[in-house]
Amino acid sequence: MNRIDNLFQTKKERVLSIYFTAGFPKLKDTLPIMQAIESAGADIIEVGVPYSDPIADGPTIQDSNQIALDNGMSLKKLFEQLQDMRQTVSLPVVLMGYLNPIIQYGMEAFCKKCQEIGVDGLILPDLPMQQYLDEFKEVFDKYDLRNTFLISPQTSEKRIREIDTHSNGFIYMVSAHSITGARTGISEEQIAYFQRVEAMNLKNPRLIGFGISDSETFTTASKYGNGAIIGSAFIKKIKESQNLKSDIESYIQSVIH
Amino acid sequence: MIKIDEKGFYGKFGGAYIPEMLHPNIEELRENYEQIIATPEFQKEFRGLLKDFVGRPTPLYFASRLSEKYGAKIYLKREDLCHTGAHKVNNTVGQIIMAKKLGKKRIIAETGAGQHGVATATVCALMGMDCTIYMGAVDIQRQRPNVERMKILGAKVVPATSGSQTLKDATNEAMRQWINNPVDTHYIIGSVVGPHPYPEMVARFQSVISEEIKWQLKEKEGTENPDIVIACVGGGSNAAGAFFHYYNVPQVRLVAAEAAGLGVTSGKSAATTVLGTSGILHGSKTLLMQTEDGQVVEPHSISAGLDYPGIGPVHAHLFDIGRAEFVAVEDEDAMKAGIELSRTEGIIPAIETAHAIHALNLIEYSKDDIIVINLSGRGDKDLDTYIKWGGY
């Protein structure tokens, strides 16, 4: 069974997903970081595929992308690093990346490789729903990959319904109209948006991302969704870390508890 | 037939590959722009400003000394005489009226050479709208006069400090800021790039160039159709404007001059049709300079306006189906062509435009051929670059 489906069948609240950029801070940190995220008690690992032009990301993740590329990270390299990840990692793994490097690799070859190494889902922020339905849904399904779409406070109710219909896995609720890492804290306006979406009774679980950084914001987000995603705040923690394993574990535990 | 389809594709290229956060903005524009452009009210305001503010129609000038030198009938479409010094203002006038009709209060834009930034700052001043321009930190250094021009006009200029710190990065930054301010802000893209409907909308605002060439040439030569139209291509807005009404007139040859930089094999080039492959950048599928791994390659051109790793999807299509001829012009040859035009016709062209002049050396024609070169901008902004180059 797909690990994302499995997770949400058994856990409906306070699901924590951690994003980091593959090949950052050092090229060979990818797998050790995944192992530390798992042992710290998070629920989903989102591995960012670095790209030269990440238009939905703020300075923190832009930087980590550039550093990873300078370190020599590429999609091929990433697949090499993750080839045997299922020997040590049991959490659901989601790859998050922009479309262009994946298209150059070849979408079918990419999906096939994902299934082979045990990837469960994809988040491709610049893949619009229509293009997904027209060009890629079939191949995602063939290789049992869950596809996550983003919604934002500007997404209309009609469009949220459409996205819910065509999503499987979970929906990524961008907490404010912003790029990543632009906000801290959660405002009343955002809570009104969380409640509006909550009242729609969507079939897919919802994880809230953008602006989640600590126990307080994680708890607030979990109140209105099934959990939350932390990206920029995590990247900042590991950027200067001298001991990845213990820093990751103490950070994630401080968020969960 | 060169025509955009319902999903925003020209053949294999185009589309709208954008983060969901931008979907409402793009949808709003897509659903409304054609209808707004079609209203008599819009047309009256647009045409009025093009005439009285921009100074259109721009002359179609018979360049007699250049014609004699090259052995053809060469006309220059004088977009350099537009207010603000280049064709860019045709588009910003159109888009700012559009933004007003959509109820937007604030304008953002990217700029490379600074011409689009100045043209945007200018129409924002004209309409009393708040204006922020994103510009690569490297470009801010090499186009200082335009930066100051924007500031004098009341715009805020924000440096883009990621990547190569040029046009590509300024465009990334403008898109990010649009995601951050989706409701009250309109993003005026300066070229025929970006997600659908931008490439088509910008081309339509620039199409006034070929619309005028047709009747002006009819007056002078008794025919609407030249044998050849030449324009330089970075993103490709001046070329799209000059080609627009000739896309589907097969006897008119379309020639696009790209920037070869230090040479197409030098690793310092911006010749996208030579070096590029199909990929996605800034929301559309197009030809793109990239690594095997799909990372966008940093381009190089001596002219900031051509220093872009992609081309508009319509140009990728024209290249793909062989409708346009593409030539690659090196930095040195473009600079020499700039001096040549200065001395044969008394016109100092923008360095972007100088690439189109040099194309005369790279294509075949006969002495009876009528050639129209789109003189997209003037060289005032490039004086520093001319001085540093020094070969005059």
Side-chain angles (χ1 to χ4, degrees):
Chain A
M1 185 182 203
N2 184 291
R3 293 172 197 83
I4 296 171
D5 298 350
N6 198 28
L7 170 71
F8 286 106
Q9 278 184 13
T10 52
K11 187 166 180 179
K12 310 243 185 259
E13 43 188 45
R14 293 181 70 83
V15 169
L16 177 62
S17 178
I18 299 285
Y19 166 92
F20 75 102
T21 307
F24 171 88
K26 300 262 163 43
L27 180 63
K28 289 187 175 161
D29 287 336
T30 315
L31 195 57
I33 288 174
M34 294 171 76
Q35 290 160 349
I37 291 171
E38 175 154 337
S39 65
D43 301 295
I44 299 174
I45 304 170
E46 263 180 49
V47 183
V49 180
Y51 181 47
S52 54
D53 296 79
I55 56 168
D57 287 301
T60 306
I61 294 182
Q62 283 175 47
D63 267 7
S64 68
N65 274 254
Q66 194 54 54
I67 290 168
L69 291 173
D70 293 345
N71 288 344
M73 184 46 82
S74 68
L75 201 45
K76 270 187 201 144
K77 192 102 209 158
L78 177 62
F79 282 140
E80 278 168 34
Q81 291 183 349
L82 301 186
Q83 185 64 38
D84 300 320
M85 69 173 181
R86 284 304 172 198
Q87 290 174 9
T88 52
V89 175
S90 58
L91 290 184
V93 172
V94 174
L95 294 193
M96 177 161 188
Y98 292 83
L99 210 43
N100 197 52
I102 296 170
I103 286 183
Q104 301 313 320
Y105 191 92
M107 186 57 91
E108 170 124 27
F110 170 79
C111 291
K112 187 164 181 245
K113 191 76 189 171
C114 281
Q115 187 189 39
E116 182 189 314
I117 63 173
V119 170
D120 304 285
L122 303 173
I123 305 175
L124 310 176
D126 57 347
L127 173 60
M129 187 171 55
Q130 197 56 49
Q131 255 81 20
Y132 162 71
L133 294 174
D134 292 350
E135 296 176 49
F136 303 129
K137 183 181 186 312
E138 211 171 299
V139 61
F140 283 30
D141 288 347
K142 180 172 165 193
Y143 296 101
D144 198 31
L145 294 165
R146 300 292 171 266
N147 182 46
T148 290
F149 287 112
L150 279 62
I151 63 172
S152 84
Q154 262 56 57
T155 311
S156 67
E157 181 166 342
K158 179 168 169 273
R159 179 124 176 128
I160 294 175
R161 294 270 176 225
E162 283 169 12
I163 284 172
D164 191 39
T165 304
H166 298 300
S167 291
N168 43 33
F170 62 93
I171 288 176
Y172 190 147
M173 279 180 72
V174 176
S175 65
H177 40 73
S178 76
I179 53 174
T180 55
R183 324 238 157 188
T184 49
I186 294 174
S187 68
E188 280 177 28
E189 193 186 345
Q190 285 168 278
I191 288 178
Y193 151 65
F194 297 159
Q195 287 172 328
R196 174 165 65 82
V197 178
E198 196 181 14
M200 288 177 69
N201 286 316
L202 303 180
K203 75 174 169 75
N204 286 283
R206 288 158 290 121
L207 297 184
I208 294 172
F210 292 33
I212 314 299
S213 60
D214 54 16
S215 169
E216 190 190 337
T217 43
F218 175 60
T219 299
T220 308
S222 295
K223 222 158 104 187
Y224 302 101
N226 302 78
I229 299 166
I230 296 181
S232 299
F234 183 78
I235 297 284
K236 281 182 193 156
K237 289 284 173 207
I238 61 173
K239 188 171 183 184
E240 305 299 342
S241 172
Q242 297 299 317
N243 186 337
L244 276 176
K245 187 168 159 52
S246 75
D247 287 349
I248 289 171
E249 287 179 355
S250 63
Y251 173 63
I252 290 177
Q253 277 158 15
S254 78
V255 171
I256 298 173
H257 297 298
Chain B
M1 236 350 225
I2 308 295
K3 200 171 179 290
I4 193 158
D5 72 17
E6 266 173 30
K7 289 179 177 170
F9 281 84
Y10 304 92
K12 292 184 274 195
F13 302 105
Y17 297 88
I18 45 160
E20 185 62 31
M21 293 84 93
L22 285 180
H23 180 83
N25 302 48
I26 294 293
E27 256 325 86
E28 180 185 35
L29 201 57
R30 195 185 61 79
E31 282 172 1
N32 293 299
Y33 93 98
E34 282 185 284
Q35 189 197 335
I36 291 175
I37 291 180
T39 58
E41 196 191 335
F42 179 94
Q43 282 300 326
K44 189 172 170 228
E45 191 173 359
F46 180 53
R47 297 287 168 171
L49 284 173
L50 287 185
K51 178 167 179 283
D52 297 327
F53 186 70
V54 175
R56 302 205 73 91
T58 59
L60 183 69
Y61 163 71
F62 178 66
S64 59
R65 297 211 326 129
L66 199 68
S67 295
E68 200 176 314
K69 187 166 177 185
Y70 280 95
K73 288 183 176 173
I74 301 172
Y75 285 86
L76 304 175
K77 178 61 174 163
R78 298 291 310 274
E79 293 300 296
D80 60 316
L81 295 178
C82 286
H83 177 42
T84 74
H87 71 288
K88 291 288 185 187
V89 72
N90 301 326
N91 168 47
T92 60
V93 165
Q95 284 205 47
I96 199 131
I97 302 172
M98 176 78 58
K100 269 203 323 186
K101 306 270 181 222
L102 292 171
K104 305 293 177 182
K105 305 276 179 267
R106 209 176 145 256
I107 297 296
I108 57 172
E110 86 295 339
T111 196
Q115 287 306 103
H116 174 57
V118 168
T120 302
T122 298
V123 295
C124 286
L126 176 73
M127 298 290 184
M129 281 170 97
D130 185 75
C131 178
T132 306
I133 305 292
Y134 297 90
M135 186 168 186
V138 167
D139 290 339
I140 287 181
Q141 288 310 314
R142 59 180 167 178
Q143 304 287 343
R144 203 78 225 176
N146 271 346
V147 175
E148 299 309 318
R149 232 169 250 148
M150 288 183 263
K151 288 183 183 165
I152 289 169
L153 289 160
K156 196 171 148 207
V157 181
V158 178
T161 54
S162 60
S164 55
Q165 310 189 358
T166 58
L167 180 55
K168 159 181 95 84
D169 311 287
T171 308
N172 288 339
E173 207 44 43
M175 287 197 164
R176 290 184 187 115
Q177 295 312 318
W178 203 23
I179 291 174
N180 282 343
N181 303 281
V183 182
D184 65 341
T185 301
H186 176 70
Y187 175 19
I188 300 189
I189 295 185
S191 193
V192 289
V193 302
H196 175 64
Y198 275 103
E200 182 67 8
M201 182 172 74
V202 174
R204 284 176 63 171
F205 290 142
Q206 292 294 358
S207 70
V208 65
I209 298 171
S210 48
E211 183 187 305
E212 288 175 4
I213 294 172
K214 284 177 86 171
W215 64 257
Q216 289 171 321
L217 199 63
K218 178 90 180 167
E219 279 180 10
K220 290 175 197 287
E221 293 284 344
T223 173
E224 290 186 338
N225 300 328
D227 297 287
I228 302 171
V229 181
I230 305 176
C232 64
V233 173
S237 70
N238 92 76
F243 295 169
F244 194 91
H245 291 285
Y246 297 118
Y247 284 156
N248 298 310
V249 186
Q251 69 268 29
V252 178
R253 286 167 59 194
L254 307 177
V255 175
E258 291 187 301
L262 300 181
V264 290
T265 55
S266 67
K268 293 264 180 196
S269 179
T272 308
T273 60
V274 182
L275 300 167
T277 50
S278 177
I280 292 167
L281 180 67
H282 297 144
S284 61
K285 188 180 279 181
T286 188
L287 289 172
L288 174 62
M289 289 167 51
Q290 57 186 325
T291 64
E292 203 185 307
D293 191 42
Q295 309 298 339
V296 181
V297 168
E298 291 175 6
H300 166 83
S301 167
I302 195 166
S303 74
L306 304 184
D307 202 352
Y308 186 70
I311 49 173
V314 69
H315 296 300
H317 180 56
L318 293 174
F319 175 76
D320 188 45
I321 62 170
R323 175 65 188 94
E325 299 160 51
F326 282 72
V327 295
V329 178
E330 295 186 10
D331 287 351
E332 186 69 13
D333 290 330
M335 297 307 293
K336 285 180 184 155
I339 302 302
E340 179 186 29
L341 187 72
S342 303
R343 293 184 182 177
T344 49
E345 296 294 342
I347 300 168
I348 303 175
I351 297 169
E352 289 79 7
T353 311
H355 288 70
I357 307 293
H358 183 75
L360 287 169
N361 298 290
L362 303 176
I363 59 167
E364 286 180 11
Y365 47 85
S366 61
K367 72 174 182 24
D368 296 326
D369 280 350
I370 299 170
I371 301 175
V372 174
I373 301 175
N374 196 32
L375 206 74
S376 55
R378 58 181 178 242
D380 307 29
K381 71 178 176 64
D382 293 317
L383 273 188
D384 271 357
T385 311
Y386 276 116
I387 292 165
K388 258 186 221 147
W389 176 70
Y392 51 89

